[in-house]
Amino acid sequence: MQNFVHLHVHSQYSLLDGQSSIKGMVNKAVADGMRGMALTDHGNMFGAKELYDYCNKINKERKDNGQEPFKPIFGCEMYVARSGDKTIRESKEDQSGWHLIVLAKNLTGYHNLIKLVSRAWVDGFYMRPRTDHKDLEKYHEGLIVCSACVAGEIPRKIIQGKFDEAEEAIQWYKRVFGDDFYLELQRHEVKDP
């Protein structure tokens, strides 16, 4: 599994959605031979320092043993306002947002991710911390984005048969993020009756 790295991972900091400890997840990834792991909790980066500190600790041991370092990848599963404007707080639809995985690929990206998450809490909070296309466009540098789970805009529109709208969303993300935009695939077990 050395070439596989989890890029969509929730810890105990994803309230009501994750329960794994960061230490436990990193230990499991290392035991499985992975070279790194992303932390993408819902709407927050509360575990970023814990991930950084724990990876530094294990990387000191790995260095002493002649092993390559384990790479922590900082990210967030953000909520993108469905109305297109995070300041709108009028309907039940505005209380959430399309899921989007946002990863920092370098220090500039880390700083932009912090700005996006902070602005989502300060300016976009309505039941959840929300961002919007305006902020994503403004703070896109150094970021990688993935279309997320079935609660993402693109997967949801595909499920609803709205292929033209899904294509329009894909083109927007491709225009803003270029080669740093990816369609996320998740394997879900389906049991037909």
Side-chain angles (χ1 to χ4, degrees), residues 21-34 37 51 54-55 57-58 61-62 70:
S21 71
I22 290 171
K23 179 180 176 181
M25 290 188 301
V26 170
N27 288 343
K28 175 71 170 129
V30 168
D32 286 345
M34 294 183 196
M37 181 191 82
L51 176 65
Y54 189 66
C55 287
K57 178 184 175 217
I58 66 165
E61 297 167 12
R62 290 173 68 87
F70 183 83

Side-chain angles (χ1 to χ4, degrees), residues 5-75:
V5 173
H6 283 290
L7 298 177
H8 185 159
V9 178
H10 302 306
S11 74
Q12 75 266 19
Y13 295 107
S14 285
L15 300 178
L16 303 176
D17 192 46
Q19 64 182 20
S20 300
S21 71
I22 290 171
K23 179 180 176 181
M25 290 188 301
V26 170
N27 288 343
K28 175 71 170 129
V30 168
D32 286 345
M34 294 183 196
R35 298 181 327 198
M37 181 191 82
L39 181 62
T40 56
D41 284 312
H42 278 288
N44 74 71
M45 295 177 63
F46 299 155
K49 177 140 179 14
E50 185 178 340
L51 176 65
Y52 178 80
D53 289 345
Y54 189 66
C55 287
N56 274 346
K57 178 184 175 217
I58 66 165
N59 283 335
K60 287 178 185 174
E61 297 167 12
R62 290 173 68 87
K63 183 178 181 181
D64 292 343
N65 295 329
Q67 298 170 300
E68 74 175 63
F70 183 83
K71 182 172 179 62
I73 302 168
F74 302 101

